[in-house]
mmCIF file of all heavy atoms in Angstrom:
data_model
loop_
_atom_site.group_PDB
_atom_site.id
_atom_site.type_symbol
_atom_site.label_atom_id
_atom_site.label_comp_id
_atom_site.label_asym_id
_atom_site.label_seq_id
_atom_site.Cartn_x
_atom_site.Cartn_y
_atom_site.Cartn_z
ATOM 1 N N GLN A 1339 -20.872 2.023 5.749
ATOM 2 C CA GLN A 1339 -21.335 2.672 4.530
ATOM 3 C C GLN A 1339 -21.434 1.674 3.368
ATOM 4 O O GLN A 1339 -22.462 1.578 2.698
ATOM 5 C CB GLN A 1339 -20.409 3.829 4.137
ATOM 6 C CG GLN A 1339 -20.950 4.556 2.904
ATOM 7 C CD GLN A 1339 -20.129 5.775 2.524
ATOM 8 O OE1 GLN A 1339 -19.297 6.256 3.291
ATOM 9 N NE2 GLN A 1339 -20.378 6.294 1.337
ATOM 10 N N ARG A 1340 -20.393 0.922 3.148
ATOM 11 C CA ARG A 1340 -20.442 -0.033 2.038
ATOM 12 C C ARG A 1340 -21.418 -1.167 2.333
ATOM 13 O O ARG A 1340 -22.073 -1.686 1.427
ATOM 14 C CB ARG A 1340 -19.039 -0.561 1.724
ATOM 15 C CG ARG A 1340 -18.162 0.506 1.086
ATOM 16 C CD ARG A 1340 -16.860 -0.042 0.569
ATOM 17 N NE ARG A 1340 -16.050 -0.624 1.626
ATOM 18 C CZ ARG A 1340 -15.017 -1.425 1.407
ATOM 19 N NH1 ARG A 1340 -14.674 -1.739 0.167
ATOM 20 N NH2 ARG A 1340 -14.318 -1.899 2.412
ATOM 21 N N PHE A 1341 -21.538 -1.532 3.601
ATOM 22 C CA PHE A 1341 -22.511 -2.568 3.956
ATOM 23 C C PHE A 1341 -23.925 -2.105 3.593
ATOM 24 O O PHE A 1341 -24.675 -2.799 2.911
ATOM 25 C CB PHE A 1341 -22.425 -2.903 5.450
ATOM 26 C CG PHE A 1341 -23.445 -3.910 5.875
ATOM 27 C CD1 PHE A 1341 -23.191 -5.268 5.702
ATOM 28 C CD2 PHE A 1341 -24.671 -3.515 6.418
ATOM 29 C CE1 PHE A 1341 -24.150 -6.220 6.056
ATOM 30 C CE2 PHE A 1341 -25.633 -4.456 6.772
ATOM 31 C CZ PHE A 1341 -25.363 -5.808 6.594
ATOM 32 N N ASP A 1342 -24.261 -0.898 4.026
ATOM 33 C CA ASP A 1342 -25.625 -0.385 3.806
ATOM 34 C C ASP A 1342 -25.904 -0.149 2.324
ATOM 35 O O ASP A 1342 -26.976 -0.492 1.823
ATOM 36 C CB ASP A 1342 -25.822 0.938 4.559
ATOM 37 C CG ASP A 1342 -25.905 0.736 6.068
ATOM 38 O OD1 ASP A 1342 -26.075 -0.425 6.496
ATOM 39 O OD2 ASP A 1342 -25.783 1.734 6.805
ATOM 40 N N GLU A 1343 -24.960 0.478 1.637
ATOM 41 C CA GLU A 1343 -25.196 0.777 0.218
ATOM 42 C C GLU A 1343 -25.410 -0.506 -0.577
ATOM 43 O O GLU A 1343 -26.254 -0.574 -1.471
ATOM 44 C CB GLU A 1343 -24.014 1.580 -0.352
ATOM 45 C CG GLU A 1343 -24.018 3.031 0.137
ATOM 46 C CD GLU A 1343 -22.762 3.814 -0.219
ATOM 47 O OE1 GLU A 1343 -21.810 3.246 -0.800
ATOM 48 O OE2 GLU A 1343 -22.724 5.024 0.104
ATOM 49 N N THR A 1344 -24.668 -1.534 -0.235
ATOM 50 C CA THR A 1344 -24.802 -2.804 -0.947
ATOM 51 C C THR A 1344 -26.110 -3.496 -0.567
ATOM 52 O O THR A 1344 -26.828 -4.008 -1.440
ATOM 53 C CB THR A 1344 -23.583 -3.704 -0.656
ATOM 54 O OG1 THR A 1344 -22.412 -2.987 -1.047
ATOM 55 C CG2 THR A 1344 -23.661 -5.004 -1.413
ATOM 56 N N LEU A 1345 -26.427 -3.476 0.704
ATOM 57 C CA LEU A 1345 -27.681 -4.102 1.141
ATOM 58 C C LEU A 1345 -28.880 -3.455 0.439
ATOM 59 O O LEU A 1345 -29.801 -4.145 -0.017
ATOM 60 C CB LEU A 1345 -27.826 -3.979 2.664
ATOM 61 C CG LEU A 1345 -29.061 -4.674 3.253
ATOM 62 C CD1 LEU A 1345 -29.018 -6.185 2.992
ATOM 63 C CD2 LEU A 1345 -29.161 -4.418 4.771
ATOM 64 N N PHE A 1346 -28.832 -2.139 0.314
ATOM 65 C CA PHE A 1346 -29.908 -1.403 -0.356
ATOM 66 C C PHE A 1346 -30.092 -1.914 -1.777
ATOM 67 O O PHE A 1346 -31.205 -2.201 -2.220
ATOM 68 C CB PHE A 1346 -29.565 0.090 -0.348
ATOM 69 C CG PHE A 1346 -30.578 0.944 -1.040
ATOM 70 C CD1 PHE A 1346 -31.702 1.396 -0.374
ATOM 71 C CD2 PHE A 1346 -30.399 1.306 -2.381
ATOM 72 C CE1 PHE A 1346 -32.648 2.191 -1.023
ATOM 73 C CE2 PHE A 1346 -31.339 2.098 -3.035
ATOM 74 C CZ PHE A 1346 -32.459 2.536 -2.342
ATOM 75 N N ARG A 1347 -28.984 -2.049 -2.493
ATOM 76 C CA ARG A 1347 -29.056 -2.534 -3.886
ATOM 77 C C ARG A 1347 -29.613 -3.961 -3.933
ATOM 78 O O ARG A 1347 -30.408 -4.301 -4.804
ATOM 79 C CB ARG A 1347 -27.672 -2.530 -4.528
ATOM 80 C CG ARG A 1347 -27.088 -1.156 -4.691
ATOM 81 C CD ARG A 1347 -26.890 -0.784 -6.141
ATOM 82 N NE ARG A 1347 -26.927 0.662 -6.249
ATOM 83 C CZ ARG A 1347 -26.892 1.347 -7.381
ATOM 84 N NH1 ARG A 1347 -26.816 0.727 -8.534
ATOM 85 N NH2 ARG A 1347 -26.952 2.643 -7.401
ATOM 86 N N LEU A 1348 -29.160 -4.811 -3.028
ATOM 87 C CA LEU A 1348 -29.575 -6.215 -3.076
ATOM 88 C C LEU A 1348 -31.049 -6.380 -2.710
ATOM 89 O O LEU A 1348 -31.744 -7.234 -3.267
ATOM 90 C CB LEU A 1348 -28.689 -7.053 -2.149
ATOM 91 C CG LEU A 1348 -27.211 -7.132 -2.578
ATOM 92 C CD1 LEU A 1348 -26.369 -7.785 -1.483
ATOM 93 C CD2 LEU A 1348 -27.044 -7.883 -3.900
#
Side-chain angles (χ1 to χ4, degrees):
Q1339 183 176 346
R1340 289 189 299 164
F1341 177 84
D1342 288 346
E1343 286 171 356
T1344 303
L1345 184 62
F1346 178 85
R1347 295 244 154 186
L1348 294 171

